[in-house]
Structure formats: structure tokens, C-alpha cells
Amino acid sequence: MENYFEKQFELRYFEMNKFEEASPTIILALLEETAADHCYSINHSLYDLFKQNIGWVLVSGVMKMERYPKYKETIIIRTWLSGYSVIKGIRENIIYDELRNIIGRAKGLWVFFDIKRRRPVQIFDDIKEKWSFCNEECINHDINKKIKAIDSARYIKEFKVNRFDVDMNQHVNNIRYLQWLMDSIPDEIIDNNYLHSIDGRFIAEAQYGDEITFFTERNICDNSFAHTIKTNNNKICATAITLWKARVK
């Protein structure tokens, strides 16, 4: 494989959950940190882009984990771009343990975004040239397929968007959405299962001061859930499907 970027991490104590493993939100944060370093490596850091009122915004994605790394375990994240349009790039990710066994995969569709005007813009030619691309996919999954929103649910949680829920693109970051999603899952699922996969679509922005309602409902499969995030004026912000697998005891 050519045109990939790798970053190594050692998992720290404060990144662990009660099962002594990294939480899904930590894995998502490490994936984003790797993408940020990939930007930095070609002299287009996120802060340099921000000075030009430009950012990358995730619009859809999937993450699948076979297991989560433990305290002090070293992982390697490999990332690359598998394709571009004028305004979008598809980012692929493979997560390895220190023996190069694959423990996770993730794919995301990212839009190059004008922060002030709140609309997509053309990706700089220099970024495409320096990153280039590799046709190989990490996972065969259609992240463009619509995920239907749900209007009612057995499990409902309400949140208010606080100042530190908002990122430099001036909207709620997808990591915060995942944290809220985890908070909406019944305790018996969290206590006996781990998040095997999440497939999500980001439809509209939630911003500082918004009141958010998180709807979570079981699918036909007992360990699968449908999720929808709405604002208090009924605007759909995101939809997702999660699948949970039993923990090995």
C-alpha cells in the first residue's frame, strides 16, 4: 500500500473505562488525532486552515471494533484517502495492536468546509497532491446510504449544548454525539456488551445553547439499536445504528 500515514499511541489511565479498556469515544478521538496529524504532516494543520476560515467536517462514517485496547497497550492507526470529489474526501483507517493484528477499522466521509459561510468549498489542490490517495478500502460499507430517523423511542435522554461541547468549527463535535449515544444505552447492555460497530450520518448542525433530545430504540436484533438526535425545534441532527457484542468473561 502507498500514500498512507501512521501514528502510534500508548493508552493512558484516564482513557480507560471500568472494564480497563479504552472507551469508544477515546478510539474516535485517536482516529481524529491521527487525521489531524496527517493534515499537519503536509503543512495544512487544522489551525492553519482555521486561520483561513476552513475546516474538515464529518458527514457520515462507520467504525467497527473487534476489541478495545487495554491500559498501557500500544496501538498503531494507519490512515489514507481512498478517493476525492471536488469538496469531499473519503478517509480510511485501520487500527492495529503492537503485533500488527487488526483490532478495528473506520471509514469517514469528510467535507471541506467554509466556517464563516457554513457551506462546502473546493479542496485545495495542494492537499490532494500531497496526500494523494490509495484505492484500497479498509471496510466494504456504504456510508452514503441514508439511515432512517426514528420519531419515538423507549429510551430518551435530553442534553443542553454547553460551551465545551462545541469545536473550532463552531458546532457539536461528533465525539460528543458518541458520548451522548453511550449515555442513552441501557445499563444492562453497557455492563455486559461492548460497542462492536456504529454507523452514523450527520445531517444538520447543533450549536451552543441548543437543547438536544436523544432517541434510542432497540432494533429487531436485541443487541442492535437505532438512534436519532433532534433539537428542541425538531431539527434532525444525526442518525445512527449501533451493534453490541457480548463481553468475554
Side-chain angles (χ1 to χ4, degrees):
M1 180 188 292
E2 296 180 350
N3 303 319
Y4 65 84
F5 177 83
E6 287 189 344
K7 187 171 177 63
Q8 180 174 295
F9 299 92
E10 182 182 82
L11 276 299
R12 297 166 293 183
Y13 170 75
F14 72 86
E15 296 169 324
M16 300 294 104
N17 59 21
K18 67 180 182 179
F19 304 104
E20 300 179 20
E21 63 188 20
S23 67
T25 52
I26 290 298
I27 296 301
L28 187 56
L30 296 181
L31 289 167
E32 294 202 3
E33 180 69 14
T34 303
D37 266 18
H38 197 193
C39 294
Y40 184 84
S41 72
I42 60 167
N43 299 316
H44 286 286
S45 79
L46 297 183
Y47 289 105
D48 289 338
L49 291 174
F50 183 72
K51 292 173 185 176
Q52 303 171 69
N53 294 309
I54 297 294
W56 287 98
V57 175
L58 183 65
V59 295
S60 64
V62 61
M63 180 175 77
K64 291 188 177 182
M65 298 295 296
E66 298 307 320
R67 70 172 184 86
Y68 288 84
K70 300 287 189 177
Y71 175 51
K72 287 295 185 181
E73 185 173 357
T74 297
I75 62 170
I76 303 100
I77 297 180
R78 173 179 290 191
T79 189
W80 69 96
L81 278 296
S82 60
Y84 299 97
S85 71
V86 174
I87 60 171
K88 299 177 183 178
I90 301 174
R91 181 171 290 278
E92 312 280 345
N93 303 271
I94 296 178
I95 305 168
Y96 300 95
D97 66 15
E98 54 194 44
L99 298 177
R100 288 283 174 173
N101 299 307
I102 297 175
I103 63 172
R105 302 172 189 268
K107 177 197 291 281
L109 180 62
W110 293 82
V111 168
F112 211 49
F113 190 74
D114 186 308
I115 297 169
K116 279 192 172 180
R117 293 186 292 172
R118 315 308 292 171
R119 67 186 189 189
V121 292
Q122 184 171 336
I123 300 172
F124 300 159
D125 289 338
D126 190 52
I127 290 178
K128 291 183 177 181
E129 290 170 6
K130 288 180 177 177
W131 273 347
S132 191
F133 68 95
C134 174
N135 286 323
E136 187 170 339
E137 292 183 290
C138 71
I139 186 171
N140 181 18
H141 188 90
D142 184 3
I143 57 175
N144 291 304
K145 184 178 179 181
K146 184 177 179 180
I147 296 176
K148 186 178 179 181
I150 56 176
D151 295 319
S152 61
R154 179 178 178 185
Y155 307 101
I156 297 175
K157 286 270 191 175
E158 294 182 347
F159 305 90
K160 185 172 182 178
V161 178
N162 296 308
R163 188 180 305 277
F164 296 107
D165 296 325
V166 177
D167 61 20
M168 62 194 300
N169 292 327
Q170 300 172 19
H171 61 198
V172 175
N173 185 270
N174 57 84
I175 297 172
R176 182 63 69 206
Y177 282 139
L178 179 55
Q179 184 61 62
W180 290 339
L181 183 152
M182 298 292 291
D183 287 339
S184 76
I185 296 293
D187 288 344
E188 65 268 21
I189 296 295
I190 294 287
D191 290 341
N192 296 289
N193 301 268
Y194 70 93
L195 178 60
H196 172 58
S197 68
I198 178 168
D199 187 14
R201 306 291 178 268
F202 300 96
I203 299 163
E205 297 179 294
Q207 297 173 324
Y208 177 46
D210 284 347
E211 294 179 356
I212 297 294
T213 303
F214 216 116
F215 298 86
T216 291
E217 184 60 79
R218 288 181 185 266
N219 285 322
I220 296 174
C221 170
D222 281 345
N223 282 4
S224 176
F225 291 82
H227 311 271
T228 296
I229 305 171
K230 294 183 180 181
T231 62
N232 57 348
N233 61 1
N234 213 36
K235 178 179 70 175
I236 298 173
C237 295
T239 57
I241 299 292
T242 57
L243 178 64
W244 300 74
K245 282 193 173 182
R247 294 184 179 278
V248 178
K249 298 182 179 180

